[in-house]
Amino acid sequence: MTLRKDKIRAKPADSGQTLVEFAIAAMVFLLLLFATIDFGYFYYVKVTLQNAVRQAGRYAITGNCSAGTNCFVGGTTNRYNSIIQVALTYSFGLITASNVSITCLPPPIGLTGGCPSYAGGAGGPGDTVMITATYTWNPVTALVSKFFNNGVYTFSVSATFKNESFPPPAS
């Protein structure tokens, strides 16, 4: 049995086929990879903000603040700013103080009191307080950004707590 040399050679027209196939497969792979990273970050942001708001609420219900003895004084160490600082600490740099809001909710219908002015919006003993944090996310992958209005998604997480019966401020 003899083989001819010209039968073994590949056709010259097929020389770029592998490169084209690789380019198509690589594009699909990279698109899926970056979309997975985008949605992973999406999940990370959501969970981190939920934890930050929850931790700030847990701190808020105790009536504590960084001022120590009197939490209801003005300045940077008052109760309101202390709660915001806790949210910022647990957000790992995702948000700033302007992205966090604390709202003292009015009492249910038929009940009196609630939301004293001395608490700076953070509520007094027995008040219901809502803490909200927002964050705007810009996906890296262009295909993923098409799923959201204007190519961005705004997270808004909040938690509502009822303050414990901590001692009110000294007059």
Side-chain angles (χ1 to χ4, degrees):
M1 259 177 144
T2 32
L3 295 175
R4 296 161 113 194
K5 289 185 178 183
D6 58 1
K7 297 253 182 192
I8 297 174
R9 281 190 241 158
K11 294 181 182 177
D14 293 344
S15 63
Q17 178 181 352
T18 305
L19 183 62
V20 171
E21 288 175 357
F22 175 76
I24 292 170
M27 285 187 333
V28 171
F29 173 74
L30 289 175
L31 178 69
L32 290 174
L33 176 70
F34 286 117
T36 302
I37 291 170
D38 266 346
F39 284 114
Y41 188 71
F42 180 89
Y43 181 74
Y44 165 77
V45 169
K46 181 76 169 175
V47 169
T48 301
L49 290 181
Q50 287 173 341
N51 183 52
V53 167
R54 183 175 52 250
Q55 292 298 334
R58 292 180 65 191
Y59 180 81
I61 64 173
T62 62
N64 289 331
C65 70
S66 59
T69 56
N70 190 356
C71 295
F72 300 97
V73 295
T76 58
T77 57
N78 69 11
R79 181 167 149 66
Y80 187 89
N81 290 331
S82 297
I83 296 167
I84 289 180
Q85 190 58 45
V86 171
L88 296 179
T89 301
Y90 282 95
S91 74
F92 301 116
L94 288 176
I95 56 176
T96 62
S98 63
N99 300 108
V100 181
S101 67
I102 304 171
T103 308
C104 185
L105 302 175
I109 297 173
L111 296 178
T112 59
C115 302
S117 61
Y118 59 74
D127 288 338
T128 304
V129 177
M130 181 173 65
I131 302 170
T132 305
T134 57
Y135 176 78
T136 302
W137 173 63
N138 298 309
V140 174
T141 311
L143 183 65
V144 173
S145 66
K146 300 285 184 201
F147 289 106
F148 305 106
N149 290 336
N150 299 324
V152 298
Y153 182 79
T154 302
F155 291 94
S156 182
V157 297
S158 61
T160 305
F161 297 91
K162 183 173 181 174
N163 288 341
E164 295 174 351
S165 297
F166 51 83
S171 302

